[in-house]
Short mmCIF file of all heavy atoms in Angstrom, two decimals:
data_model
loop_
_atom_site.label_atom_id
_atom_site.label_comp_id
_atom_site.label_asym_id
_atom_site.label_seq_id
_atom_site.Cartn_x
_atom_site.Cartn_y
_atom_site.Cartn_z
N LEU A 112 6.97 -22.94 17.11
CA LEU A 112 8.32 -23.37 17.24
C LEU A 112 8.46 -24.87 17.46
O LEU A 112 9.47 -25.53 17.37
CB LEU A 112 8.98 -22.70 18.42
CG LEU A 112 8.99 -21.18 18.35
CD1 LEU A 112 9.73 -20.56 19.51
CD2 LEU A 112 9.55 -20.68 17.06
N ARG A 142 2.24 -20.38 11.40
CA ARG A 142 2.72 -20.94 10.14
C ARG A 142 1.54 -20.94 9.18
O ARG A 142 1.71 -20.60 7.96
CB ARG A 142 3.22 -22.31 10.39
CG ARG A 142 3.53 -23.05 9.06
CD ARG A 142 4.40 -24.23 9.26
NE ARG A 142 5.61 -23.78 9.96
CZ ARG A 142 6.52 -24.63 10.53
NH1 ARG A 142 6.30 -25.91 10.57
NH2 ARG A 142 7.61 -24.16 11.10
N LEU A 145 1.08 -17.49 7.94
CA LEU A 145 2.08 -17.12 6.93
C LEU A 145 1.71 -17.73 5.58
O LEU A 145 1.71 -17.00 4.54
CB LEU A 145 3.40 -17.69 7.41
CG LEU A 145 4.55 -17.70 6.38
CD1 LEU A 145 4.83 -16.30 5.91
CD2 LEU A 145 5.77 -18.35 7.06
N ILE A 148 -1.37 -15.94 4.11
CA ILE A 148 -1.07 -14.56 3.60
C ILE A 148 -0.38 -14.70 2.25
O ILE A 148 -0.70 -13.99 1.29
CB ILE A 148 -0.20 -13.82 4.59
CG1 ILE A 148 -1.07 -13.57 5.93
CG2 ILE A 148 0.27 -12.47 4.02
CD1 ILE A 148 -0.23 -12.98 7.08
N THR A 155 -4.00 -12.92 -5.49
CA THR A 155 -4.23 -11.50 -5.89
C THR A 155 -3.41 -11.12 -7.05
O THR A 155 -3.81 -10.47 -7.99
CB THR A 155 -3.93 -10.61 -4.69
OG1 THR A 155 -4.61 -11.07 -3.54
CG2 THR A 155 -4.38 -9.18 -4.94
N THR A 159 -4.33 -9.85 -10.90
CA THR A 159 -3.89 -8.69 -11.70
C THR A 159 -3.31 -9.06 -13.02
O THR A 159 -3.36 -8.28 -13.97
CB THR A 159 -2.70 -7.88 -10.96
OG1 THR A 159 -1.91 -8.74 -10.32
CG2 THR A 159 -3.28 -6.83 -10.03
N PHE A 202 -11.44 -12.49 -7.95
CA PHE A 202 -11.74 -11.88 -6.66
C PHE A 202 -13.12 -12.27 -6.15
O PHE A 202 -13.43 -11.93 -4.98
CB PHE A 202 -11.51 -10.38 -6.75
CG PHE A 202 -10.11 -10.01 -7.18
CD1 PHE A 202 -9.83 -9.37 -8.33
CD2 PHE A 202 -9.06 -10.52 -6.39
CE1 PHE A 202 -8.56 -9.10 -8.71
CE2 PHE A 202 -7.78 -10.23 -6.72
CZ PHE A 202 -7.47 -9.52 -7.91
N TYR A 355 -6.76 22.27 -21.50
CA TYR A 355 -5.51 23.11 -21.48
C TYR A 355 -5.22 23.49 -22.95
O TYR A 355 -5.61 22.76 -23.88
CB TYR A 355 -4.31 22.36 -20.92
CG TYR A 355 -4.42 22.01 -19.46
CD1 TYR A 355 -4.65 20.73 -19.01
CD2 TYR A 355 -4.17 22.97 -18.47
CE1 TYR A 355 -4.73 20.44 -17.72
CE2 TYR A 355 -4.28 22.74 -17.13
CZ TYR A 355 -4.57 21.42 -16.79
OH TYR A 355 -4.56 21.12 -15.39
N PRO A 360 -7.05 17.28 -21.06
CA PRO A 360 -8.24 17.86 -20.38
C PRO A 360 -7.91 18.47 -19.02
O PRO A 360 -6.98 18.09 -18.39
CB PRO A 360 -9.07 16.55 -20.05
CG PRO A 360 -8.13 15.42 -20.13
CD PRO A 360 -7.04 15.78 -21.12
N LYS A 361 -8.66 19.48 -18.71
CA LYS A 361 -8.37 20.25 -17.44
C LYS A 361 -9.50 20.02 -16.40
O LYS A 361 -9.18 19.74 -15.28
CB LYS A 361 -8.24 21.68 -17.80
CG LYS A 361 -7.95 22.51 -16.57
CD LYS A 361 -7.66 23.98 -16.89
CE LYS A 361 -7.32 24.75 -15.64
NZ LYS A 361 -7.44 26.17 -15.93
N ASN A 384 -12.72 14.25 -8.71
CA ASN A 384 -12.14 14.54 -7.35
C ASN A 384 -13.01 15.42 -6.50
O ASN A 384 -12.58 15.87 -5.42
CB ASN A 384 -10.82 15.30 -7.48
CG ASN A 384 -9.58 14.44 -7.56
OD1 ASN A 384 -9.58 13.40 -6.92
ND2 ASN A 384 -8.67 14.73 -8.48
N THR A 393 -23.23 8.50 -3.35
CA THR A 393 -22.23 9.45 -3.91
C THR A 393 -22.35 9.49 -5.44
O THR A 393 -22.54 8.48 -6.10
CB THR A 393 -20.76 9.08 -3.59
OG1 THR A 393 -20.58 7.74 -3.92
CG2 THR A 393 -20.47 9.31 -2.10
N ASN A 395 -20.29 10.59 -8.74
CA ASN A 395 -18.94 10.98 -9.22
C ASN A 395 -19.01 11.26 -10.69
O ASN A 395 -19.65 10.52 -11.47
CB ASN A 395 -17.98 9.80 -8.96
CG ASN A 395 -17.40 9.85 -7.56
OD1 ASN A 395 -18.09 9.45 -6.61
ND2 ASN A 395 -16.19 10.41 -7.47
N LYS A 507 -21.08 8.17 -12.04
CA LYS A 507 -21.02 6.90 -11.29
C LYS A 507 -21.69 7.09 -10.00
O LYS A 507 -21.37 8.00 -9.21
CB LYS A 507 -19.55 6.48 -11.09
CG LYS A 507 -19.40 5.24 -10.30
CD LYS A 507 -18.06 4.64 -10.58
CE LYS A 507 -17.89 3.36 -9.76
NZ LYS A 507 -16.89 2.55 -10.27
N ASP A 511 -22.78 2.82 -0.57
CA ASP A 511 -22.00 1.79 0.16
C ASP A 511 -22.10 2.03 1.66
O ASP A 511 -21.36 2.87 2.27
CB ASP A 511 -20.54 1.95 -0.26
CG ASP A 511 -19.67 0.83 0.30
OD1 ASP A 511 -20.12 0.15 1.22
OD2 ASP A 511 -18.55 0.64 -0.21
N VAL A 517 -15.03 0.96 6.96
CA VAL A 517 -13.75 0.68 6.28
C VAL A 517 -12.76 1.78 6.63
O VAL A 517 -11.61 1.45 6.94
CB VAL A 517 -13.91 0.61 4.72
CG1 VAL A 517 -12.58 0.71 4.01
CG2 VAL A 517 -14.60 -0.66 4.36
N PHE A 532 5.50 -0.98 15.33
CA PHE A 532 6.77 -0.87 14.64
C PHE A 532 7.57 0.37 15.00
O PHE A 532 8.78 0.35 14.92
CB PHE A 532 6.60 -1.00 13.15
CG PHE A 532 6.16 -2.39 12.74
CD1 PHE A 532 4.97 -2.60 12.18
CD2 PHE A 532 6.95 -3.52 13.01
CE1 PHE A 532 4.54 -3.87 11.85
CE2 PHE A 532 6.56 -4.78 12.68
CZ PHE A 532 5.32 -4.95 12.09
N TRP A 533 6.88 1.45 15.27
CA TRP A 533 7.63 2.69 15.50
C TRP A 533 7.85 2.89 16.97
O TRP A 533 8.71 3.72 17.32
CB TRP A 533 6.94 3.92 14.86
CG TRP A 533 6.95 3.72 13.34
CD1 TRP A 533 7.40 2.68 12.61
CD2 TRP A 533 6.48 4.74 12.45
NE1 TRP A 533 7.27 2.97 11.25
CE2 TRP A 533 6.72 4.16 11.11
CE3 TRP A 533 5.95 5.98 12.53
CZ2 TRP A 533 6.34 4.90 9.95
CZ3 TRP A 533 5.57 6.66 11.38
CH2 TRP A 533 5.77 6.14 10.09
N ARG A 561 17.86 -10.68 18.88
CA ARG A 561 18.67 -9.53 18.35
C ARG A 561 17.73 -8.41 18.01
O ARG A 561 16.76 -8.62 17.34
CB ARG A 561 19.41 -10.06 17.14
CG ARG A 561 20.19 -8.97 16.40
CD ARG A 561 21.18 -9.55 15.48
NE ARG A 561 22.34 -9.97 16.23
CZ ARG A 561 23.25 -9.12 16.72
NH1 ARG A 561 23.13 -7.90 16.57
NH2 ARG A 561 24.27 -9.59 17.39
N ASP A 562 18.09 -7.27 18.49
CA ASP A 562 17.25 -6.10 18.15
C ASP A 562 18.20 -4.84 18.32
O ASP A 562 18.47 -4.45 19.39
CB ASP A 562 16.08 -6.05 19.26
CG ASP A 562 15.26 -4.81 19.15
OD1 ASP A 562 15.65 -3.84 18.35
OD2 ASP A 562 14.23 -4.75 19.79
N LEU A 563 18.64 -4.36 17.21
CA LEU A 563 19.62 -3.30 17.21
C LEU A 563 19.09 -2.07 17.97
O LEU A 563 19.78 -1.35 18.64
CB LEU A 563 19.89 -2.83 15.74
CG LEU A 563 20.83 -3.72 14.91
CD1 LEU A 563 21.05 -3.11 13.55
CD2 LEU A 563 22.18 -3.88 15.61
N GLY A 564 17.73 -1.88 17.85
CA GLY A 564 17.17 -0.74 18.52
C GLY A 564 17.22 -0.93 20.01
O GLY A 564 17.56 0.01 20.73
N ARG A 567 20.73 -0.13 21.22
CA ARG A 567 21.02 1.34 21.39
C ARG A 567 20.33 1.87 22.58
O ARG A 567 20.85 2.66 23.38
CB ARG A 567 20.50 2.13 20.14
CG ARG A 567 21.35 1.84 18.94
CD ARG A 567 20.70 2.56 17.82
NE ARG A 567 20.79 3.99 17.97
CZ ARG A 567 21.78 4.78 17.57
NH1 ARG A 567 22.77 4.21 16.92
NH2 ARG A 567 21.84 6.09 17.74
N ARG B 124 23.28 5.78 11.22
CA ARG B 124 22.82 5.29 12.55
C ARG B 124 23.49 3.97 12.86
O ARG B 124 23.84 3.66 13.98
CB ARG B 124 21.32 5.06 12.46
CG ARG B 124 20.77 4.79 13.78
CD ARG B 124 19.35 5.14 13.97
NE ARG B 124 19.06 4.63 15.36
CZ ARG B 124 18.25 5.29 16.14
NH1 ARG B 124 17.57 6.27 15.79
NH2 ARG B 124 18.02 4.77 17.37
N PRO B 154 0.55 19.79 -17.80
CA PRO B 154 -0.53 20.15 -16.89
C PRO B 154 -1.21 18.89 -16.34
O PRO B 154 -1.20 17.84 -16.96
CB PRO B 154 -1.45 20.99 -17.75
CG PRO B 154 -1.13 20.65 -19.18
CD PRO B 154 0.36 20.23 -19.18
N LEU B 155 -1.81 19.05 -15.14
CA LEU B 155 -2.37 17.88 -14.50
C LEU B 155 -3.72 17.58 -15.07
O LEU B 155 -4.63 18.42 -15.21
CB LEU B 155 -2.52 18.20 -13.02
CG LEU B 155 -1.32 18.27 -12.12
CD1 LEU B 155 -1.59 18.48 -10.68
CD2 LEU B 155 -0.52 16.90 -12.30
N PRO B 157 -7.52 15.88 -14.80
CA PRO B 157 -8.39 16.07 -13.65
C PRO B 157 -8.18 15.09 -12.50
O PRO B 157 -8.25 15.51 -11.37
CB PRO B 157 -9.76 15.88 -14.32
CG PRO B 157 -9.61 16.32 -15.69
CD PRO B 157 -8.24 15.89 -16.10
N ALA B 158 -7.95 13.78 -12.82
CA ALA B 158 -7.83 12.86 -11.77
C ALA B 158 -6.67 13.18 -10.81
O ALA B 158 -6.67 12.76 -9.63
CB ALA B 158 -7.62 11.48 -12.32
N GLN B 160 -5.71 16.17 -10.03
CA GLN B 160 -5.81 17.54 -9.45
C GLN B 160 -6.36 17.51 -8.00
O GLN B 160 -7.38 18.05 -7.69
CB GLN B 160 -6.81 18.39 -10.26
CG GLN B 160 -6.16 18.82 -11.61
CD GLN B 160 -7.20 19.42 -12.54
OE1 GLN B 160 -8.26 19.87 -12.03
NE2 GLN B 160 -6.97 19.48 -13.81
N GLU B 208 18.98 -8.18 10.74
CA GLU B 208 18.38 -7.15 11.57
C GLU B 208 18.01 -5.91 10.72
O GLU B 208 16.99 -5.32 10.90
CB GLU B 208 19.36 -6.87 12.71
CG GLU B 208 18.87 -5.84 13.65
CD GLU B 208 17.63 -6.28 14.41
OE1 GLU B 208 17.39 -7.46 14.52
OE2 GLU B 208 16.89 -5.30 14.85
N LYS B 212 14.59 -4.07 10.11
CA LYS B 212 14.45 -2.62 10.50
C LYS B 212 13.76 -1.88 9.32
O LYS B 212 12.85 -1.05 9.57
CB LYS B 212 15.78 -1.99 10.81
CG LYS B 212 16.20 -2.08 12.25
CD LYS B 212 15.87 -0.76 12.91
CE LYS B 212 15.33 -0.89 14.32
NZ LYS B 212 15.80 -1.96 15.09
N MET B 215 10.20 -2.71 9.30
CA MET B 215 9.56 -2.10 10.41
C MET B 215 9.21 -0.64 10.15
O MET B 215 8.10 -0.15 10.51
CB MET B 215 10.44 -2.13 11.70
CG MET B 215 10.44 -3.37 12.49
SD MET B 215 11.63 -3.26 13.84
CE MET B 215 10.67 -2.42 15.06
N PHE B 216 10.13 0.01 9.48
CA PHE B 216 9.86 1.45 9.15
C PHE B 216 8.84 1.54 8.10
O PHE B 216 7.95 2.36 8.11
CB PHE B 216 11.23 2.04 8.68
CG PHE B 216 11.06 3.46 8.16
CD1 PHE B 216 10.76 4.46 9.01
CD2 PHE B 216 11.12 3.73 6.78
CE1 PHE B 216 10.56 5.79 8.54
CE2 PHE B 216 10.98 5.05 6.34
CZ PHE B 216 10.71 6.07 7.16
N TRP B 231 -8.46 8.05 -2.15
CA TRP B 231 -8.46 8.84 -3.34
C TRP B 231 -9.38 8.21 -4.39
O TRP B 231 -10.11 8.85 -5.12
CB TRP B 231 -7.00 8.84 -3.90
CG TRP B 231 -6.78 9.89 -4.89
CD1 TRP B 231 -7.82 10.74 -5.51
CD2 TRP B 231 -5.52 10.31 -5.48
NE1 TRP B 231 -7.21 11.56 -6.39
CE2 TRP B 231 -5.85 11.37 -6.42
CE3 TRP B 231 -4.19 9.90 -5.34
CZ2 TRP B 231 -4.86 11.93 -7.14
CZ3 TRP B 231 -3.26 10.54 -6.04
CH2 TRP B 231 -3.55 11.51 -6.94
N VAL B 234 -12.78 9.20 -3.64
CA VAL B 234 -13.08 10.54 -3.96
C VAL B 234 -13.18 10.73 -5.51
O VAL B 234 -14.09 11.40 -6.00
CB VAL B 234 -12.02 11.51 -3.37
CG1 VAL B 234 -12.20 12.93 -3.96
CG2 VAL B 234 -12.09 11.55 -1.89
N TRP B 236 -13.17 8.29 -8.03
CA TRP B 236 -13.83 7.29 -8.92
C TRP B 236 -15.16 6.82 -8.27
O TRP B 236 -15.90 6.06 -8.93
CB TRP B 236 -12.96 6.04 -9.17
CG TRP B 236 -11.63 6.39 -9.81
CD1 TRP B 236 -11.31 7.46 -10.62
CD2 TRP B 236 -10.43 5.63 -9.66
NE1 TRP B 236 -10.06 7.40 -10.93
CE2 TRP B 236 -9.49 6.36 -10.41
CE3 TRP B 236 -10.04 4.47 -9.01
CZ2 TRP B 236 -8.15 5.88 -10.52
CZ3 TRP B 236 -8.75 3.98 -9.09
CH2 TRP B 236 -7.78 4.70 -9.84
N GLY B 237 -15.29 7.08 -6.96
CA GLY B 237 -16.57 6.72 -6.39
C GLY B 237 -16.54 5.37 -5.62
O GLY B 237 -17.42 5.08 -4.83
N GLN B 238 -15.47 4.65 -5.81
CA GLN B 238 -15.36 3.33 -5.10
C GLN B 238 -14.00 3.27 -4.47
O GLN B 238 -13.02 3.49 -5.10
CB GLN B 238 -15.53 2.19 -6.07
CG GLN B 238 -16.82 1.53 -6.07
CD GLN B 238 -16.80 0.45 -7.20
OE1 GLN B 238 -16.70 0.73 -8.38
NE2 GLN B 238 -17.03 -0.79 -6.77
N TYR B 239 -13.93 2.79 -3.17
CA TYR B 239 -12.61 2.77 -2.55
C TYR B 239 -11.80 1.58 -3.07
O TYR B 239 -10.60 1.64 -3.02
CB TYR B 239 -12.71 2.74 -1.03
CG TYR B 239 -13.44 1.60 -0.43
CD1 TYR B 239 -12.78 0.41 -0.21
CD2 TYR B 239 -14.84 1.66 -0.15
CE1 TYR B 239 -13.49 -0.75 0.31
CE2 TYR B 239 -15.47 0.60 0.38
CZ TYR B 239 -14.82 -0.58 0.63
OH TYR B 239 -15.47 -1.61 1.17
N TRP B 242 -10.33 -3.30 -7.47
CA TRP B 242 -9.40 -4.24 -8.00
C TRP B 242 -8.65 -3.66 -9.19
O TRP B 242 -8.34 -4.40 -10.20
CB TRP B 242 -10.00 -5.60 -8.32
CG TRP B 242 -10.48 -6.30 -7.08
CD1 TRP B 242 -11.85 -6.44 -6.73
CD2 TRP B 242 -9.73 -6.84 -5.99
NE1 TRP B 242 -11.92 -7.10 -5.52
CE2 TRP B 242 -10.66 -7.38 -5.07
CE3 TRP B 242 -8.34 -7.00 -5.78
CZ2 TRP B 242 -10.32 -7.98 -3.90
CZ3 TRP B 242 -8.02 -7.69 -4.61
CH2 TRP B 242 -8.95 -8.11 -3.69
N THR B 247 -4.23 -3.24 -6.69
CA THR B 247 -4.05 -4.64 -6.31
C THR B 247 -2.61 -4.94 -6.12
O THR B 247 -2.21 -5.66 -5.20
CB THR B 247 -4.66 -5.51 -7.41
OG1 THR B 247 -6.00 -4.97 -7.72
CG2 THR B 247 -4.86 -6.92 -6.94
N LEU B 254 1.07 -7.43 1.32
CA LEU B 254 0.83 -8.79 1.87
C LEU B 254 2.14 -9.58 1.94
O LEU B 254 2.36 -10.27 2.90
CB LEU B 254 -0.17 -9.51 0.99
CG LEU B 254 -1.61 -9.18 1.18
CD1 LEU B 254 -2.50 -9.91 0.14
CD2 LEU B 254 -2.08 -9.56 2.57
N GLY B 258 3.66 -11.25 5.11
CA GLY B 258 4.14 -12.64 5.20
C GLY B 258 5.52 -12.65 5.88
O GLY B 258 5.81 -13.50 6.75
N LEU B 260 6.81 -10.60 7.90
CA LEU B 260 6.82 -10.31 9.34
C LEU B 260 6.37 -11.58 10.11
O LEU B 260 6.89 -11.84 11.20
CB LEU B 260 5.81 -9.15 9.60
CG LEU B 260 6.35 -7.80 9.10
CD1 LEU B 260 5.19 -6.78 9.30
CD2 LEU B 260 7.53 -7.35 9.96
N VAL B 265 7.97 -17.61 12.82
CA VAL B 265 8.07 -19.08 12.64
C VAL B 265 9.51 -19.45 12.50
O VAL B 265 10.19 -18.93 11.58
CB VAL B 265 7.25 -19.48 11.38
CG1 VAL B 265 7.34 -20.99 11.23
CG2 VAL B 265 5.86 -19.02 11.48
#
Side-chain angles (χ1 to χ4, degrees):
Chain A
L112 303 184
R142 173 165 301 168
L145 167 61
I148 293 172
T155 308
T159 35
F202 301 118
Y355 292 107
K361 181 172 182 198
N384 271 320
T393 51
N395 276 78
K507 175 157 179 162
D511 187 346
V517 167
F532 292 115
W533 294 4
R561 172 162 284 284
D562 174 353
L563 285 179
R567 289 177 67 90
Chain B
R124 194 157 174 145
L155 287 182
Q160 289 170 18
E208 179 65 23
K212 269 260 140 38
M215 275 177 86
F216 173 70
W231 198 352
V234 171
W236 305 331
Q238 257 178 299
Y239 60 86
W242 295 108
T247 313
L254 281 174
L260 290 172
V265 181

